[in-house]
Amino acid sequence: MSASAARRRKQKALKEASGGAEPVSSRLNSLLEGSEVDESTAYEALQLAQSQVRRHVKLGQFQEGVEAAYSVSLALLEKHGRVSVASQLMTELVKALLETQIGCTEDWVSKFTKLSHAYVTALKNAMKGGDMPETEGNRLSRLHLKFLRSALRWSDVCGLIRFGALGMHELVGEHSWRLSLLDQTQVEEEDEDDSEYDQNNAVGLKCEAVTHLALAEKPLSIGALLQEQCPDPTDEELAAGHSCPPAIRDTLLTRAILVLVSVENLRDANILFSYYIEHHARSQNELKASYMSKTDGKAPNHAIFNSMLIAICQKDVKTAPLFNWLLRSFTSEMANMYKPDLLKAYTTRIGRVYFAIQPPPGMLNTIENMMGMMGGGGMGGGGGMGGMNPAMMQSMMQQMGGGM
């Protein structure tokens, strides 16, 4: 008898002895059914699950493979709290989904939501119980953001919604904000040589959070974060010609509205702006007068800029000169915001979509690629249209009075 035949006979005998189940599946189930699973047992379960996933994929049993990765990951988290081991299998899950091109469905978005919540809960419990050092917990929290980003990319590539499923954007946005609240001194020490370090600082993570929440169509969630977790601007941040970045609340408001307008979601842009005005803005007449004044010592106000942007985009292409004037008047603020070169992608796309302002040919692909990554916005808008007539500007401001 050949060696391969003997191996098949042995596998068949093992399968019959285990009631018809595959030997690997039987061993895996027995490991996970235990009341307590230590690290070495969890690692053995990981290896068995990985081999099972690869085997299913090789045999063309794609659905069985990804379901195995999902179910074992969830069991490791919910029943045994093994976050580090589960994170490796979750990475295998996304790789298998991309490799097999399984489509993104509402069912899979629900599964990722359940998996993410189980991960965050298990991690919190491990750190609270003293079973995990804070540094390791923070590392695993950052690792989870990488997992969610890769899952979002899968939902974009294999789904029907441009830029990815709304539920996946919500997961990335919520976890980015959660991650921004970690001890940033510790993050800097651990990640200073990391190519993603700049994106992992507090401001970068908050910008990523509102970007993805905007793409998730959650304007009220953004508004609540700005209201509850962002401090009021300081006198330095509001002063004309300030060299510091704008207030974080203003920065995030402007970034979120630029994202919403650039993807032609004026409905949610209006909802977010209305929420912001209700909870934060000073007298509207005072803000308008300040925006037009060159002598009051105040920087251009973000609320007025966003109000005008939304109003202009609801008109027609004839307001293109006003759009260009608005961008020029806000140049100093955008130049000090987080990654202003990325903000340019948003404003340039807004100019092209709403006002038929075409960017230079060489920039078009770059802008679309940046939009595809949904990385952030920028100052300036393309086009060399003439300056704004002050009378036209005043008239526009008066017409906007009822909308603020």
Side-chain angles (χ1 to χ4, degrees), residues 126 138 154 173 313 372:
N138 291 347
W154 160 74
C313 290

Side-chain angles (χ1 to χ4, degrees), residues 71 138 170 192 212 240 268 329 350 398:
S71 60
N138 291 347
E170 186 175 5
E192 59 185 356
H212 288 291
D268 286 344
S329 71
I350 291 169
Q398 290 171 5

Side-chain angles (χ1 to χ4, degrees), residues 239-242 246 254 287-288 290-294 296 298-309 312 320-337 347 378-381 385-388 393 397 400:
H242 60 82
T254 298
L287 292 175
K288 292 181 203 174
S290 174
Y291 200 95
M292 296 300 297
S293 173
K294 296 183 179 179
D296 70 345
K298 298 290 186 182
N301 182 271
H302 285 245
I304 293 297
F305 168 80
N306 286 295
S307 172
M308 293 179 63
L309 177 65
I312 292 167
L322 182 56
F323 172 72
N324 282 318
W325 174 88
L326 182 64
L327 292 181
R328 286 197 296 272
S329 71
F330 210 62
T331 294
S332 60
E333 285 296 289
M334 286 207 183
N336 286 322
M337 289 172 65
T347 56
M379 65 183 211
M385 305 187 100
M388 176 53 50
M393 183 64 221
M397 295 286 280
M400 290 163 50

